[in-house]
Amino acid sequence: MKKDNSKKKSTSLRKKSVSVVLFATIIISLITVSVSGIFYSYNIFEHYKRLSEQLADTAASLMSAQDIVRYYNEVKKIGPYDDKKYNSDEAYRLAYDEEVNAIKDEKYQQMLDTLFVFEDQSKSRNDIEYIYVQVLEENQVTYIFDADHTEDQYQLGTVRPISEEVIDNDGLENGVPAFISNNPDDGWLCSCMRPIRDSNGNPVALVGVDISMGKVVTLGIIYVAALIVIVIFIAGLLIWFILRGVDKSLVKPINQLSNAARSFVEDKGDEMNKESSISTLNIHTGDEVETLWKSIQHMERDINDYITNLTAVTAEKERIGAELSLATRIQADMLPNIFPAFPERKDLDIYAAMTPAKEVGGDFYDFFLVDDSHLAMVMADVSGKGVPAALFMMMSKILIQNAVLSGKSPAEALMTVNNQICANNREEMFVTVWLGVVDLKSGLLTAANAGHEKPIVKSPDGDFELFNDRHGFVIGGMEGLKYRNYEIQLHKGSKLFLYTDGVAEATDSNDELYGTERTLGALNGCKDGEPKAVLEAVKKSVDAFVGTAPQFDDLTMLCFEFKGVEGTTLTLEATDENLQQVMDFVDGILEENGASMKTQMKINLAVEEIYVNIAHYAYGNSVGMAEISAICNDGEIIISFKDSGVPYNPLEKPDPDITLPAEEREIGGLGIYLTKKTMDSVSYEYKDNQNVLTLTKNI
């Protein structure tokens, strides 16, 4: 199991203050000790350097340069002193001592004693370790005097390699300045060499003074240690005082504020808590903490006011939400929403749906029966969104329905509604409307378009296709406008799809439009389904395209399928031999529906005329198929003839002049003329590569 690192341990302000002060104290202590140690060492070392130079100058003034030169010259005659031979060869030692002692006269002993006395007198005060006199020549020195009481005393004539300090100072002109050294044998020393000059001022030898620095270094260490102890003690006192000050002026007030703020939050729901503990605090530190307390007091008052206002706003919002929810239900109830809409009718199927972009929308659809054989359908889109659009939508819906039910055609109804809305439209809102009335007997759809989307129509055996209808101006845009009707012939199995721009203009996250082509693709993917299935397929396609993008506009759709009244269809070869079969087919339907003998005879003459024309002229010398369908509904029969022969509209042939004698009239045309006279209506169209002639007669 992984550890939850989201919760980090909190550190108190007191601990943080201690850490900061302690860190600062350590840094200051280190700086103080370092600076003090460096300053102390520098001054002490400089003092001893000056002291060693003074002692060396004093010792040099006590020496005789002439005698030192004489001693040096005599020692040179004896030869260099050999330590190893001196310590191992007794004869060499006795001989060398005898020769050297011969050189040491009374003057030599006096100068050596002077050095001893000077060393002894200075040792108690200045810790002189060594005083000696050397003569420098090339890369070596020759000892003349060595005031050393121990057995390590250098004898007269002892030769030693020249030291690096002497080499670095390049000769004896000014001697060797004082310097501090540390070696395992002698420890810390402050050494200095000053020249002994002859009467002409020329240096002839060096007086060296070594002062022991052991006590000085020890005292320095003691000084630094004492300084560290003092600094730590002072730092401890400082931390104690600072912490007391932090507790009093910072930690305690902040803890009070924290506890009061927590109490304010926890007790806010208690109506008995009339006054918050924040207001009852008394913090007067005279600094930013007091300013913070005053700011929190002000914030507390603002929060109380905000909560009071928020409570009122929330209550108002809940009221508005409830009203919007009620408005949504009212709007849904205003639109036909119970399906199947006409369960007792077998000649139609219709389904509609609306998905508003907000709680309530401006789109609306409507459908209703004008009478038993006419169905009105409306698809509209009000400008804007929300409650204003919904109110405008309801008014428009009622006005349109009233105009259609009063017997007006779609164009007349739109003109009437437009004038009514323009008469009192201060907000200058408008609505696009498609209005159509379909004759459920013949399938003839009469429609008018006021700036709305083009309808999409599907023939019984074809695909959904966009119908380029005539557009008028929007409703509410300008008073006094006129609209035009147009017609669409629907056949059994035809479908009509109506929609608002929320379908074609649905956008995905890349702001790409769904478009008409995708709409047609979704429709044709379910073209044989029932209207409900068609709308569900389109909605699913739109949702898949839009994805996670927000819905921009209302999504409203309606699908109508014309099924026609119950009847039968006869399909056979268009030959004279099959004429009797056609007549029997029509007579059977007429008899079932109680047609009179007179009416039956008129219909038989018309059926025979049309069928014989198909058999004789539709396919030339070949034989083709003919389809005859007959439908009876509400005392009316509709008979349709279909063939795939040469396109021919018999209604375009001029009517014969029956006032002329038979011998003077042109041959042909009398049969179709009689058909038009005996039938209530005769219509022709060429559709899907077929001649379609329809007869209508009230029986």
Side-chain angles (χ1 to χ4, degrees), residues 264 268 296-314:
F264 172 75
K268 196 59 195 171
I296 293 177
Q297 277 187 320
H298 182 71
M299 182 186 68
E300 177 193 11
R301 291 192 295 270
D302 291 344
I303 289 176
N304 287 330
D305 294 340
Y306 174 77
I307 291 175
T308 302
N309 295 333
L310 182 61
T311 302
V313 170
T314 302

Side-chain angles (χ1 to χ4, degrees), residues 124-251:
S124 60
R125 298 192 303 270
N126 303 313
D127 290 332
I128 291 181
E129 191 75 19
Y130 305 110
I131 296 180
Y132 47 87
V133 176
Q134 299 173 336
V135 175
L136 177 66
E137 186 178 13
E138 294 180 355
N139 295 326
Q140 61 184 13
V141 293
T142 301
Y143 278 85
I144 305 301
F145 297 106
D146 182 14
D148 188 358
H149 294 287
T150 67
E151 295 180 355
D152 295 331
Q153 180 186 44
Y154 288 122
Q155 299 295 327
L156 174 63
T158 302
V159 178
R160 286 289 181 267
I162 192 169
S163 64
E164 294 180 358
E165 289 78 4
V166 176
I167 294 174
D168 293 339
N169 284 271
D170 193 20
L172 303 175
E173 186 66 27
N174 295 312
V176 179
F179 62 92
I180 307 299
S181 63
N182 182 23
N183 58 74
D185 296 331
D186 301 321
W188 288 91
L189 295 176
C190 178
S191 302
C192 177
M193 291 185 178
R194 305 299 290 173
I196 300 174
R197 302 180 184 276
D198 58 14
S199 57
N200 296 324
N202 297 320
V204 296
L206 294 174
V207 174
V209 174
D210 294 338
I211 299 177
S212 175
M213 298 290 291
K215 292 182 179 180
V216 174
V217 173
T218 302
L219 290 175
I221 294 173
I222 294 173
Y223 167 78
V224 172
L227 183 62
I228 291 174
V229 173
I230 292 172
V231 169
I232 291 175
F233 177 74
I234 294 174
L237 289 177
L238 181 62
I239 291 174
W240 184 77
F241 280 112
I242 290 176
L243 289 180
R244 286 202 62 185
V246 168
D247 283 341
K248 183 178 180 180
S249 62
L250 190 61
V251 175

Side-chain angles (χ1 to χ4, degrees), residues 24-143:
T25 302
I26 292 174
I27 297 299
I28 294 174
S29 300
L30 290 175
I31 294 174
T32 301
V33 172
S34 299
V35 172
S36 299
I38 293 172
F39 184 76
Y40 172 84
S41 301
Y42 175 79
N43 284 281
I44 291 297
F45 287 170
E46 289 298 316
H47 168 73
Y48 274 91
K49 286 180 181 179
R50 290 192 297 272
L51 179 62
S52 63
E53 290 177 352
Q54 292 174 2
L55 293 175
D57 286 336
T58 302
S61 65
L62 299 176
M63 298 294 102
S64 172
Q66 182 179 358
D67 292 331
I68 290 174
V69 171
R70 177 170 57 83
Y71 296 146
Y72 174 73
N73 291 332
E74 291 180 0
V75 167
K76 292 287 286 182
K77 295 178 182 179
I78 298 176
Y81 172 75
D82 189 346
D83 287 343
K84 293 182 178 180
K85 194 172 182 180
Y86 184 86
N87 294 324
S88 60
D89 190 346
E90 184 177 359
Y92 173 78
R93 181 172 63 253
L94 293 174
Y96 186 84
D97 289 342
E98 183 179 354
E99 290 180 302
V100 169
N101 290 332
I103 297 174
K104 297 179 181 179
D105 56 7
E106 183 178 356
K107 187 70 173 179
Y108 178 90
Q109 193 61 42
Q110 288 178 354
M111 285 193 289
L112 180 60
D113 292 341
T114 300
L115 289 178
F116 274 121
V117 172
F118 182 78
E119 179 186 10
D120 293 340
Q121 291 177 350
S122 301
K123 192 175 185 68
S124 60
R125 298 192 303 270
N126 303 313
D127 290 332
I128 291 181
E129 191 75 19
Y130 305 110
I131 296 180
Y132 47 87
V133 176
Q134 299 173 336
V135 175
L136 177 66
E137 186 178 13
E138 294 180 355
N139 295 326
Q140 61 184 13
V141 293
T142 301
Y143 278 85

Side-chain angles (χ1 to χ4, degrees), residues 12 55 114 117 190-191 205 240 294 297 400 408 434 445 486 537 692:
S12 66
L55 293 175
T114 300
V117 172
C190 178
S191 302
W240 184 77
K294 293 179 179 179
Q297 277 187 320
I400 292 171
K408 292 181 173 62
W434 183 95
L445 172 67
Y486 65 88
V692 181

Side-chain angles (χ1 to χ4, degrees), residues 4 20 45 63 168 189 211 292 429 439 460 474 480 493 546 586 616:
D4 183 8
V20 171
F45 287 170
M63 298 294 102
D168 293 339
L189 295 176
I211 299 177
L292 176 62
M429 298 183 70
D439 186 339
V474 296
V546 171
V586 175
H616 289 178

